[in-house]
Amino acid sequence: TPTASPCPFRKKASTILIKKSTPPPASFLFSHPAHLIACGFGSGLSPWAPGTIGTLFAWASYLLLRPWFDDFGFILLLITGYIGGVLACHRTGKDLGEPDHGSIVWDEIVPFWGVLFFCPEGLLWQTTAFFLFRFFDIFKPPPACNFDRIKNGFGVMTDDVFAAAYAVLCLALLKFILG
């Protein structure tokens, strides 16, 4: 008998394009510092494609932040952002009544900073990184989908770390193939 894969392909194109959660009011951002962070300083309040808007915010903020850090300092920022993100996303998910609410985009921001950190230089590479990250974030191949099932801050953040790892791996393969 055939066995189901641990992460069956479960998303249809129609469900990807439809907003999954109603964003909270802007005042929600300022009711607790975790909300401001988890909602990507407001970028997650977009009524359409908040994950994509959050990733675009990550790209813009990376370009502003990166010059201020050496490599070691930026890796520390990524680690701190991840750990703080687990806490902020958990608190915000509890307060919204949905652990992985669509307005929570810090889980896109920090992992995409990591993708850009390992991305070859240039706008074309960064654009490719953006689309690869969004692809893997939306479709969540294993083991990302296993963490997507964990309904707390750790699960919310970690599934996107795997999406980022897949994107970095694809970028490395592309760089190797293209020379």
Side-chain angles (χ1 to χ4, degrees):
T1 58
T3 58
S5 73
C7 303
F9 187 82
R10 66 196 183 291
K11 297 195 180 204
K12 297 178 184 172
S14 60
T15 60
I16 293 166
L17 299 175
I18 297 171
K19 62 181 179 176
K20 84 176 186 184
S21 307
T22 303
S27 60
F28 177 78
L29 296 176
F30 304 104
S31 62
H32 193 280
H35 301 164
L36 186 65
I37 293 165
C39 293
F41 299 92
S43 63
L45 299 186
S46 171
W48 298 282
T52 299
I53 300 301
T55 305
L56 289 170
F57 173 81
W59 193 352
S61 59
Y62 176 85
L63 296 174
L64 294 173
L65 287 172
R66 185 63 181 103
W68 295 95
F69 294 89
D70 64 9
D71 288 351
F72 181 73
F74 199 79
I75 289 169
L76 287 178
L77 177 68
L78 291 174
I79 292 167
T80 303
Y82 172 80
I83 293 168
V86 167
L87 301 172
C89 292
H90 184 77
R91 168 66 191 253
T92 302
K94 270 181 73 175
D95 291 348
L96 288 170
E98 188 178 336
D100 197 3
H101 191 278
S103 295
I104 296 173
V105 295
W106 192 251
D107 59 318
E108 275 82 33
I109 293 169
V110 174
F112 191 61
W113 284 347
V115 172
L116 292 173
F117 179 75
F118 291 105
C119 181
E121 290 187 27
L123 183 60
L124 182 59
W125 282 108
Q126 290 182 355
T127 303
T128 303
F130 173 82
F131 285 108
L132 285 169
F133 176 73
R134 291 304 300 144
F135 174 80
F136 290 118
D137 183 31
I138 291 166
F139 291 104
K140 300 192 187 313
C145 58
N146 293 322
F147 288 95
D148 190 43
R149 296 177 188 164
I150 300 171
K151 298 302 181 187
N152 59 29
F154 174 74
V156 169
M157 287 294 296
T158 305
D159 75 330
D160 290 312
V161 169
F162 280 99
Y166 279 119
V168 169
L169 178 63
C170 287
L171 288 169
L173 287 171
L174 276 172
K175 177 109 172 124
F176 177 76
I177 290 167
L178 297 175

